[in-house]
Amino acid sequence: MPLLLVLVIFSASILKLWGADFSLATTALQGLCLAQFFNLVFGSVGTVLIMTGHEKKAFIGLTISTLCNIACNYTLIPLYGLNGAAFATFISIFIWNFLLFIILKKTLKLDSSIMGFFAFKQH
């Protein structure tokens, strides 16, 4: 998490280390860092599903997010270039983690998020 914050806050300065042209990717780097934040927050949803015998459900979630990634890339790259590709990746990573989190919650009644971030009351 601290490294993620450093990358988001100082992304322009870090990218300039490789040359002035690289600073054009600042927004893309920040978007990809945000995607990894959601990866962190939702936890190891895919791994837990696979380890508990729910590979098919994990596969379905991954397939949906992959198709979403392809559609978003097809739509956003022509409009926004590099930032469109980064946003498409952000969307698909979020969808992947969210879908698998919901599947894990409904199937195994587990909350894999960090410190029960998305803990729901169960009756």
Side-chain angles (χ1 to χ4, degrees), residues 6 9 21 34 53 57 77 85-86 100-101 104 119 121:
V6 168
I9 294 169
D21 291 341
L34 186 59
K57 292 177 182 179
I77 289 175
L100 294 187
F101 179 80
L104 181 67
K121 290 184 179 179

Side-chain angles (χ1 to χ4, degrees), residues 36-116:
Q36 291 308 313
F37 170 75
F38 283 109
N39 232 349
L40 174 77
V41 169
F42 282 111
S44 301
V45 287
T47 305
V48 174
L49 283 170
I50 290 168
M51 289 174 52
T52 56
H54 299 280
E55 305 87 8
K56 289 180 184 177
K57 292 177 182 179
F59 175 75
I60 290 169
L62 181 59
T63 301
I64 291 169
S65 69
T66 300
L67 293 173
C68 177
N69 185 282
I70 292 168
C72 287
N73 276 307
Y74 182 78
T75 305
L76 297 174
I77 289 175
L79 297 173
Y80 303 108
L82 174 67
N83 290 331
F87 189 63
T89 302
F90 164 77
I91 291 170
S92 65
I93 288 174
F94 178 82
I95 288 173
W96 176 32
N97 281 286
F98 182 74
L99 283 175
L100 294 187
F101 179 80
I102 297 299
I103 291 168
L104 181 67
K105 194 73 172 167
K106 289 184 181 240
T107 304
L108 300 173
K109 311 244 186 298
L110 291 176
D111 183 355
S112 64
S113 62
I114 57 170
M115 299 170 60

